[in-house]
Amino acid sequence: MSFDLVFFGGTGDLTWRKLLPALFQAWRHHKLPEGGRILAVARDERSDDEYRAFVRERFAAVDSSKRPNEAEFDEFAQLLHYRRMDLSRPEDYTGLKAWLAERGADTALMYLATSPYLFPVICEQLGAAGIVGPHVRIVLEKPLGHDLASAQQINRVVRSVFDERQALRIDHYLGKPAVQNLMALRFGNALFEPLWRREWIANIQITLAESLGVGTRGDYYDRTGALRDMIQNHALQLLTMIAMEPPSSSAADAIRDEKLKVLRSLRPFTPETVARDVVRGQYRAGSVAGQAVPGYLDEVKVPAGSRCETFVALRTEIQNWRWAGVPFYLRTGKRLAGQDAHIVVNFREVPHPIFPGTRRANRLVIKLQPEDGLELHLLAATGGSRDELLSPVSLDLDFDRAFPSERVGAYERLLLDAIAGRLNLFVRSDEQEQAWRWVEPVLDAWNNDPTGPRPYAAGSWGPAAASALVARDGCAWAEEQ
């Protein structure tokens, strides 16, 4: 299958840091379809060879295991091409149309790795130039809008040019192997599904923690914040995967229909419940991995006195029969104690304990980052005494060890799916808008709250109020158990 893949924002951070290395890995693993061309589009004047040299230089910063050697890069670079384009000029799209028509590839993929405010402009110009056809798809990077109204405006423009099945809204967390295995865990095995409900599960925690600060992206991050950056998309998508009902099939829309039902069942926020069930924080100076780091307000390009949140913890519930009364805790933040993304399913304690020793409920930990895997925490008899004592034990599945030759990175998987037109791991517009609809009352409440975010020391797990949030229900975060 021949394909043309066009990166709008072809010299940007995302393209050279994530997308091109992922494509190189697909090429190295012989999974990239034959007959492909990759076109980078940007405002600078460059030749193909100058762009290839630009990419070669930046590949030096890629993780060593994913870095091409000289011979590999020379061969891969033959796929790379470059065009200078002003994204507001119709004549530049005419030139792009001519480039695409040179050979008429089976599939043309337009990847918008630009600022979201350019999405409507690019879509309208693609439509006006006659580039859009049944073989053309568009990939939209997050953030898709700044609020519900802007997200709806972007979707209106996209739908005026592309069919819903041609518009792929990407969330790279859905490409992670452990997230894909959520479906296999729940719907490919009979072990957990009978227990996957309020009678047996006490609470579910989703943590997306980063040890890094905002770096040089202070101006962008300050306009976004942790709620928009991580909760509205990544965390809510994980929540839908963990909580949805069994779909009728593995077809994309069957899965996305069930995810949408979860989003619509989330308990809506009011100003009172925001004050009670949502904690926002902002990191101050501290120490991470033994190194002193500055506070958020001292970071480059962060406005003085900013009230932007770098941490969010919240409690919610899903109002349906399966999950009624089960707390779901979502947490994300920058400059936390570790780089750690995981989902913890805490089961209820046995109804009548008959063994002395540790009384600890079973836990299933789905590890997303830095490693992918599953841990099942159980209790077992220690032996050697008259009264059997129970001690914690765990069953540990490391996906890297279990499938050493079949590992595919998140962006690699999603790019291959986008080229092939597989939609299962992409977000539909109604899902995305419903997620905005749910978080918007939180944003509104914060706009009317003069207190601002709570301070927390860099290198900690966030404000103490986040621990108090779960302690109200007699629970604790995973690192505190």
Side-chain angles (χ1 to χ4, degrees), residues 60 102 114 180 222 245 274 302 325 396:
E102 285 175 6
T114 66
Q180 297 163 40
D222 203 73
E245 294 297 318
V274 170
V302 171
D396 191 354

Side-chain angles (χ1 to χ4, degrees), residues 194-438:
L195 306 177
W196 215 257
R197 59 193 65 249
R198 63 185 181 85
E199 290 87 353
W200 303 108
I201 291 178
N203 64 80
I204 293 178
Q205 303 176 8
I206 299 174
T207 293
L208 305 175
E210 298 179 273
S211 57
L212 297 175
V214 297
T216 59
R217 299 166 66 240
D219 52 349
Y220 161 77
Y221 192 87
D222 203 73
R223 297 190 302 270
T224 306
L227 188 72
R228 292 183 176 96
D229 191 44
M230 299 295 284
I231 298 292
Q232 185 273 338
N233 38 73
H234 301 325
L236 283 184
Q237 282 295 313
L238 294 176
L239 185 150
T240 62
M241 297 283 281
I242 203 82
M244 70 180 180
E245 294 297 318
S248 59
S249 72
S250 62
D253 278 335
I255 294 169
R256 298 192 290 189
D257 286 346
E258 297 303 332
K259 289 163 62 185
L260 179 60
K261 290 177 186 177
V262 174
L263 292 169
R264 287 175 171 167
S265 300
L266 286 170
R267 175 173 289 173
F269 282 110
T270 65
E272 294 73 26
T273 58
V274 170
R276 185 189 67 204
D277 293 337
V278 183
V279 176
R280 59 171 168 160
Q282 186 184 92
Y283 66 83
R284 299 293 189 257
S287 176
V288 176
Q291 298 292 319
V293 295
Y296 178 73
L297 295 177
D298 298 319
E299 298 278 21
V300 179
K301 299 179 183 177
V302 171
S306 169
R307 298 172 65 223
C308 174
E309 82 284 357
T310 62
F311 175 94
V312 177
L314 63 84
R315 180 194 191 278
T316 189
E317 293 183 15
I318 297 171
Q319 297 176 312
N320 63 20
W321 276 42
R322 181 184 289 266
W323 297 113
V326 176
F328 284 75
Y329 304 108
L330 279 57
R331 175 177 62 162
T332 188
K334 289 191 173 293
R335 286 291 188 216
L336 297 181
Q339 190 83 5
D340 186 14
H342 61 255
I343 302 168
V344 180
V345 180
N346 287 305
F347 292 90
R348 298 190 184 278
E349 292 187 2
V350 294
H352 177 61
I354 62 172
F355 296 101
T358 300
R359 285 187 60 185
R360 183 176 295 179
N362 302 139
R363 284 189 298 150
L364 176 66
V365 181
I366 302 158
K367 298 185 290 186
L368 309 175
Q369 192 176 296
E371 67 273 348
D372 295 320
L374 299 172
E375 287 180 0
L376 182 59
H377 294 259
L378 308 168
L379 295 175
T382 59
S385 66
R386 185 174 173 183
D387 293 325
E388 293 290 353
L389 296 175
L390 298 186
S391 295
V393 295
S394 64
L395 305 177
D396 191 354
L397 170 62
D398 185 318
F399 290 143
D400 285 327
R401 290 203 300 265
F403 312 111
S405 62
E406 301 174 35
R407 308 301 284 148
V408 175
Y411 268 114
E412 181 181 347
R413 167 67 186 269
L414 291 169
L415 282 164
L416 291 174
D417 280 3
I419 292 169
R422 293 186 291 265
L423 306 180
N424 297 47
L425 298 179
F426 297 93
V427 180
R428 207 167 57 190
S429 62
D430 50 4
E431 287 181 74
Q432 179 227 351
E433 290 180 14
Q434 184 60 33
W436 274 119
R437 194 169 285 113
W438 185 71

